[in-house]
Amino acid sequence: MEKYDAFSYEGQYVDTTDSVFKYENSDILKEFYRKDVILFIIGAFLLGRAHILGGLAPFGIALFGFLVSQNRKNIYLAVSVLGGITSTGMDFNIGKYMFGMIIAYSVFYYMKRINYKAHVIGIISSVSILISGSIYIYLNGLYLYDMLMLSFEALVVFVFTYIVYYCVPVLLKRSNRSILSNEEVVCMAIFVAVIISGLSDLFIGSYEIKNMFGILIVILFAYNGGASIGASTGITIGIITSMSSVDAPYIVGIYGFCGLLSGIFKDLGKWASIVGMLLGNIILTFYVNGTTEVFIQHEEMIIAFIMFLFMPKSLLEYTKNFVGSNTTEDSLYSEKIKNIGVKKLKEYSSAFLDLASTYKNIADKERKIDNEEVSRMVDEVAGKVCSDCGMCRSCWQNNFYSMYNGVVESISLLESEGVLKNSKVPEILKKRCIKVELLTQSIRDRFEIWKLNYHWEKKNLENRRLVGEQFEGISEIFNNLAEDMNNNVNFLTHVEDALYVAFDKAQIQVDKINVLEKENKFEIEIQKRTCYGRGQCEEKIIGLVSNVVGKDLVCKKRMCNMGDDKCVFVLEEAHKYRIATGVARVAKDNRWICGDNYSFLDLEDGKHMIALSDGMGSGEKANKESKVTINILEQLMGAGFEKDLAIKTINSILVLKSSDEIFSTMDLSMVDLYTGKVEFVKIGAASSYIKRKNGEVEPIKSTSLPIGILNNVDIETFGYKLDEGDFVIMMSDGISDADKEGWVLDFLKNNKSRNPQDIADKLLDEAIVKYDNEIKDDMTVLVSKMWSPNKCA
């Protein structure tokens, strides 16, 4: 007898059913004899025992036909199938099934093909039983009812072949499978139910084994999959195992209801699922017959519960993989889109990082004057001064090296000392050149041209360095965004479902809800019909949503009447702290334009930025310098730049903005409104102060230069923890320089006000007094107080 390789892969398009075997299960049945012989012998025996309508046993025939089509040696399973049929007392039909299996085996053997499609196997198996049954009926007397029953049995064989076609690969590769398709889940449920029905009329004492295993399967799936899975499994088990029973409707209802209650209580543990199963049986028993006579014996249920309680954890987890694998198509699609987006962002980040490296490498090529340029300068000087001179032949042909070295020495003096004095002109040039003054002046002029070219070349290199830094910053932004998408962002569909229910109960119609969780912080976007200014957002919705999610929420953004009378608003988790800032400032000599500029705003990541910039000098120019600094800072921080990168970018822009020198200080405070942590960044800025609630004052000092002076800015950072009632005081040097060092510290210690605006006003007034009531410099004070909000602000 020939042996064929089962399920070999063919490089051609096939439908979904065939791909299950051709792609994933090639060579599966090669291992059959070593691993799964006992499994399929028992399965074939139980399928042979499973019967419907009192005398039909089509299930074993379908399994036999499928396995023989894949491997001819599986013929021995005919013995198991026939043994199962005989054990039920239907030995009067044994000839029909034996002859049917012989026909099926002969067809598969002589066709000598593998990789049959499911419908081909089904047709061959059903036609085989139809032929053998027709002969059996003909020999025993022809009746129309018998032919109808035979046709129905052949149809069941055809259908069950499809079920076996999906189930056998899953059973053979059970250690490698963790996700089942919808077809496989349904077929496995039916297959297991038919196997269990094969346990009919088998008892341990007075307790039926079929009921024990049926209850075990239902509670197992209910515990792992929930109410819906438990109910559907119970109904499937009930229908198939009670096809030959007059109590079939009641049995189906009991199994389904028990699975439903067991799944509802699954979150409370195994014992709760067991209690749910018992309650389901008791409730329906009283409902159906009004007595304590039960359809499923409590003893049978107790035995099943014991098997469930002592079931190995590995088997529970294995079942859980199958039941919990029903990931929706939408979530799978969203996951794929997210992965594609993360991959693209990573590629963009890598590309910009490569560009940054390229530009930085180019920008590092700072150099001194080289030999080639020296030679070119000597040629130009000689050509301009000496070409028309009568002594040119004597100097440059008879004494070339002496003259060349003399000019080179002059260029070296210019490069090292910056000037070429007549007293320092090399002696060789004084002795031989009759136009020495014209020659040295030409050298000076040519060197100045080189210096000018070098200056602009250096500017160009600085521009390239700036571009490289910007590319590096963009790369970092892309990379951070990819990391956020990949690790920290979750769409909470279960919260969305709970919100839909809550809105429905409150009779508030909403169109769409999106719930995003990032770093354990909620962001909820709600789209609904506009309330036409009735204030539903604050009055009803915020409180309702807060109750559902269990967190205090505030309105982050509102966009009303967004076309078609729609209102879209975003809620976020309420900050633990808020910042209230008081500002006092005055321009030098009480003019209209102040050289100081400031900003304070909330950022997307739950942080609050307070910034103060002091332009060098006073008046319009200083105002322009500090305003550029603050405007760019607001744009970059609002776009998601890290503070260090934003400051470096501002410094580069100021350095390269024009030929004029533009300097300004940078005083930046970043407050985390969730934790209260504050980070100070000071670049050339005056001292800042923290005034604690208990009156203690802490100074924060810096010694760095303002931005816009050097290419590489020195960023000093200081970290502190703020509590409710603490103050942060920032000021320009016009305030701190009003008197000797330490006067501001003394003022803050002695001031008892808790109002930030009052403190700012009084500090500015005190500084003016110390200037003898003259305003000798631009002066700005920012006083920020941390407080806890009570409601949406």
Side-chain angles (χ1 to χ4, degrees):
M1 185 179 295
E2 295 178 86
K3 181 177 179 181
Y4 294 87
D5 293 333
F7 309 116
S8 61
Y9 175 73
E10 295 179 1
Q12 59 185 10
Y13 174 80
V14 292
D15 60 26
T16 305
T17 303
D18 293 309
S19 67
V20 172
F21 292 97
K22 292 184 179 181
Y23 182 75
E24 294 184 356
N25 298 292
S26 59
D27 303 326
I28 289 177
L29 293 178
K30 289 182 179 179
E31 306 294 324
F32 174 74
Y33 297 100
R34 289 196 295 269
K35 293 182 178 180
D36 298 296
V37 172
I38 296 177
L39 174 67
F40 278 97
I41 288 176
I42 295 174
F45 178 79
L46 293 177
L47 289 177
R49 283 183 54 83
H51 60 277
I52 55 177
L53 301 179
L56 304 181
F59 305 111
I61 306 302
L63 178 66
F64 174 82
F66 172 77
L67 292 177
V68 167
S69 72
Q70 307 305 314
N71 193 317
R72 312 300 181 264
K73 287 187 177 183
N74 290 333
I75 188 173
Y76 68 87
L77 291 177
V79 178
S80 295
V81 174
L82 294 174
I85 295 173
T86 304
S87 67
T88 61
M90 294 192 303
D91 50 344
F92 56 88
N93 279 339
I94 196 72
K96 178 182 74 172
Y97 295 110
M98 182 184 298
F99 188 55
M101 286 189 284
I102 292 174
I103 294 174
Y105 177 80
S106 300
V107 172
F108 289 125
Y109 180 81
Y110 286 105
M111 288 179 68
K112 296 184 178 180
R113 285 186 56 195
I114 55 177
N115 298 330
Y116 293 100
K117 293 184 177 180
H119 70 273
V120 175
I121 301 173
I123 290 173
I124 293 173
S125 299
S126 59
V127 169
S128 298
I129 196 66
L130 191 63
I131 293 172
S132 65
S134 299
I135 295 173
Y136 178 80
I137 292 173
Y138 177 78
L139 294 177
N140 289 277
L142 181 62
Y143 296 98
L144 179 60
Y145 174 78
D146 293 332
M147 289 302 300
L148 291 175
M149 294 297 289
L150 178 62
S151 300
F152 176 74
E153 186 175 29
L155 179 62
V156 173
V157 170
F158 179 82
V159 173
F160 198 70
T161 300
Y162 265 93
I163 294 173
V164 173
Y165 187 82
Y166 280 105
C167 293
V168 169
V170 176
L171 294 173
L172 289 176
K173 295 196 74 176
R174 54 190 177 275
S175 61
N176 299 328
R177 295 293 303 276
S178 61
I179 298 178
L180 300 184
S181 66
N182 293 331
E183 294 87 353
E184 290 172 328
V185 171
V186 173
C187 291
M188 281 296 295
I190 297 174
F191 186 81
V192 171
V194 174
I195 289 287
I196 291 175
S197 70
L199 297 170
S200 298
D201 302 324
L202 296 178
F203 294 86
I204 299 178
S206 60
Y207 309 127
E208 191 169 8
I209 298 177
K210 176 187 73 174
N211 291 339
M212 299 178 194
F213 279 94
I215 295 165
L216 177 63
I217 294 298
V218 172
I219 194 171
L220 182 64
F221 277 77
Y223 178 72
N224 285 324
S228 59
I229 297 293
S232 58
T233 303
I235 291 172
T236 304
I237 295 288
I239 290 174
I240 295 177
T241 59
S242 60
M243 280 186 175
S244 299
S245 173
V246 294
D247 296 325
Y250 304 136
I251 298 297
V252 172
I254 289 174
Y255 272 112
F257 190 59
C258 288
L260 176 67
L261 290 184
S262 181
I264 289 175
F265 296 134
K266 79 179 187 69
D267 292 333
L268 301 178
K270 285 186 176 181
W271 284 103
S273 290
I274 290 173
V275 171
M277 180 75 75
L278 279 173
L279 285 175
N281 187 37
I282 294 171
I283 291 171
L284 278 193
T285 296
F286 279 103
Y287 177 77
V288 171
N289 54 24
T291 67
T292 57
E293 182 182 351
V294 294
F295 294 97
I296 302 176
Q297 298 296 321
H298 291 312
E299 292 83 355
E300 295 171 346
M301 299 186 77
I302 291 172
I303 295 173
F305 296 157
I306 292 174
M307 289 190 288
F308 172 65
L309 289 172
F310 290 97
M311 182 172 289
K313 187 176 181 181
S314 58
L315 184 57
L316 277 175
E317 290 297 324
Y318 176 70
T319 309
K320 191 174 184 179
N321 286 336
F322 291 139
V323 176
S325 64
N326 297 320
T327 307
T328 64
E329 184 177 347
D330 288 342
S331 63
L332 287 174
Y333 178 77
S334 298
E335 186 68 22
K336 290 179 181 178
I337 293 297
K338 186 185 83 170
N339 291 337
I340 292 173
V342 169
K343 182 181 178 182
K344 285 293 183 184
L345 289 172
K346 290 282 188 182
E347 290 175 354
Y348 294 154
S349 175
S350 178
F352 278 107
L353 192 60
D354 291 341
L355 285 173
S357 177
T358 301
Y359 272 85
K360 280 189 168 184
N361 289 337
I362 294 173
D364 287 339
K365 295 180 179 179
E366 294 189 9
R367 57 178 178 77
K368 293 184 177 181
I369 188 169
D370 57 25
N371 293 332
E372 183 178 350
E373 288 178 316
V374 169
S375 298
R376 188 164 53 250
M377 290 171 67
V378 171
D379 290 340
E380 291 179 5
V381 169
K384 181 178 180 180
V385 177
C386 303
S387 59
D388 297 332
C389 179
M391 298 296 292
C392 180
R393 182 181 182 87
S394 173
C395 294
W396 289 101
Q397 291 187 9
N398 298 335
N399 297 282
F400 174 79
Y401 290 108
S402 298
M403 289 296 296
Y404 184 88
N405 290 334
V407 175
V408 170
E409 186 179 348
S410 300
I411 295 173
S412 298
L413 287 171
L414 277 170
E415 185 178 15
S416 60
E417 298 181 7
V419 294
L420 178 61
K421 298 179 180 180
N422 292 331
S423 60
K424 293 290 186 73
V425 174
E427 290 297 325
I428 186 65
L429 297 183
K430 292 179 179 179
K431 290 180 180 179
R432 291 196 170 275
C433 184
I434 60 175
K435 300 179 180 180
V436 64
E437 292 183 0
L438 182 61
L439 179 65
T440 54
Q441 186 59 45
S442 179
I443 293 174
R444 294 187 188 98
D445 294 343
R446 183 60 187 82
F447 186 76
E448 287 300 320
I449 293 174
W450 178 87
K451 282 178 62 178
L452 183 62
N453 290 336
Y454 179 73
H455 170 77
W456 288 110
E457 182 181 349
K458 190 175 180 180
K459 278 285 186 182
N460 188 36
L461 292 176
E462 290 173 351
N463 284 330
R464 289 176 177 175
R465 184 183 292 109
L466 170 62
V467 172
E469 290 177 355
Q470 303 316 303
F471 282 149
E472 189 174 10
I474 294 172
S475 171
E476 185 177 349
I477 290 175
F478 278 127
N479 187 67
N480 291 340
L481 182 58
E483 292 297 329
D484 287 343
M485 289 179 61
N486 198 37
N487 299 326
N488 300 326
V489 178
N490 294 311
F491 291 95
L492 305 181
T493 55
H494 66 284
V495 178
E496 294 172 2
D497 295 338
L499 287 173
Y500 279 119
V501 173
F503 280 118
D504 185 66
K505 289 181 179 179
Q507 297 185 349
I508 298 175
Q509 185 177 358
V510 295
D511 298 328
K512 190 175 183 181
I513 301 174
N514 291 318
V515 180
L516 175 70
E517 184 184 35
K518 180 180 178 182
E519 296 179 352
N520 297 321
K521 299 171 186 174
F522 283 95
E523 183 175 289
I524 302 172
E525 180 181 299
I526 300 173
Q527 179 178 319
K528 62 180 289 294
R529 291 183 62 85
T530 181
C531 62
Y532 299 103
R534 295 198 303 272
Q536 270 192 342
C537 301
E538 286 80 3
E539 292 181 5
K540 295 182 179 180
I541 292 180
I542 292 179
L544 186 150
V545 176
S546 297
N547 290 334
V548 173
V549 302
K551 296 178 180 290
D552 291 332
L553 302 175
V554 295
C555 186
K556 175 182 178 182
K557 185 188 301 182
R558 183 186 298 113
M559 296 168 286
C560 291
N561 298 321
M562 296 295 292
D564 298 328
D565 293 330
K566 298 295 183 183
C567 179
V568 178
F569 54 95
V570 180
L571 306 180
E572 68 175 359
E573 186 176 344
H575 300 148
K576 183 178 179 180
Y577 301 106
R578 285 292 221 181
I579 299 293
T581 301
V583 181
R585 72 170 178 168
V586 64
K588 182 179 179 180
D589 298 327
N590 209 20
R591 292 179 294 191
W592 288 102
I593 299 177
C594 180
D596 304 335
N597 275 282
Y598 63 90
S599 174
F600 43 89
L601 73 156
D602 290 330
L603 302 177
E604 288 289 329
D605 55 356
K607 293 184 179 177
H608 184 82
M609 182 188 80
I610 310 167
L612 173 63
S613 179
D614 181 3
M616 293 297 98
S618 61
E620 185 175 355
K621 181 181 178 183
N623 177 270
K624 179 181 178 182
E625 295 168 0
S626 60
K627 187 174 182 179
V628 167
T629 301
I630 291 297
N631 286 345
I632 298 175
L633 180 67
E634 286 182 335
Q635 293 173 6
L636 295 181
M637 296 299 292
F641 276 58
E642 292 294 329
K643 61 182 183 308
D644 290 353
L645 178 60
I647 293 171
K648 289 180 180 178
T649 302
I650 295 171
N651 182 71
S652 299
I653 291 173
L654 294 182
V655 169
L656 302 174
K657 187 173 177 64
S658 70
S659 58
D660 297 332
E661 292 182 338
I662 301 179
F663 309 144
S664 62
T665 66
M666 170 64 71
D667 201 354
L668 176 66
S669 299
M670 300 289 294
V671 184
D672 191 318
L673 299 177
Y674 291 105
T675 64
K677 294 181 179 179
V678 59
E679 189 173 14
F680 293 93
V681 180
K682 305 185 76 63
I683 307 173
S687 298
S688 298
Y689 299 86
I690 295 176
K691 183 175 181 179
R692 301 294 183 181
K693 190 175 183 180
N694 60 8
E696 181 183 347
V697 180
E698 302 176 38
I700 298 100
K701 299 181 179 181
S702 170
T703 58
S704 60
L705 294 173
I707 57 176
I709 296 178
L710 302 176
N711 289 332
N712 296 318
V713 61
D714 182 19
I715 301 176
E716 290 186 283
T717 60
F718 311 87
Y720 293 87
K721 176 70 170 68
L722 299 179
D723 293 316
E724 182 183 1
D726 290 347
F727 292 89
V728 173
I729 300 95
M730 301 164 58
M731 65 196 71
S732 61
D733 58 1
I735 297 288
S736 58
D737 294 344
D739 201 351
K740 63 182 180 179
E741 184 178 359
W743 82 266
V744 176
L745 183 66
D746 295 334
F747 171 85
L748 294 174
K749 286 181 178 180
N750 296 326
N751 186 278
K752 304 302 181 184
S753 175
R754 306 302 300 169
N755 186 314
Q757 186 61 55
D758 183 59
I759 296 175
D761 291 337
K762 289 181 177 179
L763 183 57
L764 178 61
D765 292 340
E766 185 69 16
I768 295 174
V769 170
K770 290 185 178 294
Y771 278 120
D772 297 327
N773 292 320
E774 293 182 10
I775 304 175
K776 297 182 179 180
D777 195 0
D778 297 322
M779 292 184 284
T780 302
V781 182
L782 302 179
V783 180
S784 301
K785 179 182 179 180
M786 177 172 281
W787 60 285
S788 294
N790 295 319
K791 60 182 181 179
C792 181

